[in-house]
Amino acid sequence: MTSMRTTPRPRASSASSAARRLVPVAAGLVLLTATVLAGTRAAPRVGTAVPAGPAQAQERNDREVPDDPRLREDHVDPFDDGHPAITGLRPALRAALQDAARDADAQGVDMWVTSGRRSLAYQQELLDEAVRRYGSLDEALRFVASPDTSRHVTGDAVDIGPTEADDWMIRHGADHGLCQTYANELWHFELATEPGGTCPAPRADAAG
Ligand SMILES: [Zn+2]
């Protein structure tokens, strides 16, 4: 995607001189129940199609969130109800996300939020960055929505990580109404069907 930078990194010397301070927090044992689910991979639901109508009938969320540096954090606990990226989600989406994260955890899949609610300012930053990266606004809009159309700005979308959790969510998210809505964004989920329903086919990209 992005071209490799050819310019050398400007400063690489000071980092080593600075003594790295390791806070001696006893890192709690991470009990990863590595449940191997080799034989239990459920096929994606390809049943009777549910019209995408009901999920679209959502009222606009006019309540903007104030800009907050924490909205830019890319590893947020889905259950962190004190975090603006989580509390700013539409309540039904937040509940579905947490239910899904609980299910995933029960199957040994760790899940976190790489981007939840966004402020207008943050969305504009992301778009500006994409314009620089892709060279034009038209191209950038295939990957990053504008502040006035972003589903993150209204609290209707959540980005999930890591890849294993994306994969899990693509296969099981519909149990909670959560669907991948853009084909080129494996990590982006919205409420787009009824719980247990069938997800509509994802659109090609955010511009489509
Ligand atoms: Zn997204």
Side-chain angles (χ1 to χ4, degrees), residues 118 152 159 185 188:
R118 294 176 189 158
H152 285 277
D159 293 348
E185 297 187 19
H188 176 105

Side-chain angles (χ1 to χ4, degrees), residues 11-142:
R11 20 187 165 65
S13 58
S14 60
S16 53
S17 60
R20 298 183 77 174
R21 189 172 294 211
L22 290 175
V23 183
V25 175
L29 277 177
V30 181
L31 297 173
L32 274 180
T33 43
T35 316
V36 180
L37 298 164
T40 61
R41 290 199 151 220
R45 292 168 177 274
V46 195
T48 49
V50 169
Q56 309 293 7
Q58 294 171 335
E59 78 283 10
R60 263 186 62 82
N61 189 354
D62 294 322
R63 181 177 54 89
E64 286 177 25
V65 284
D67 197 26
D68 184 318
R70 288 177 295 169
L71 297 176
R72 293 154 179 79
E73 293 174 1
D74 62 2
H75 191 138
V76 180
D77 183 347
F79 299 97
D80 188 348
D81 285 332
H83 197 291
I86 302 298
T87 57
L89 296 176
R90 205 180 281 274
L93 173 59
R94 175 163 45 145
L97 165 71
Q98 294 179 345
D99 286 347
R102 222 172 267 120
D103 277 6
D105 182 66
Q107 295 180 25
V109 175
D110 200 12
M111 181 182 290
W112 58 79
V113 170
T114 58
S115 190
R117 185 68 186 266
R118 294 176 189 158
S119 62
L120 286 167
Y122 179 32
Q123 187 69 30
Q124 186 65 54
E125 285 172 25
L126 291 174
L127 183 57
D128 292 345
E129 183 185 315
V131 170
R132 284 193 294 274
R133 179 181 305 161
Y134 298 110
S136 75
L137 179 60
D138 280 353
E139 190 64 11
L141 286 171
R142 294 184 54 220

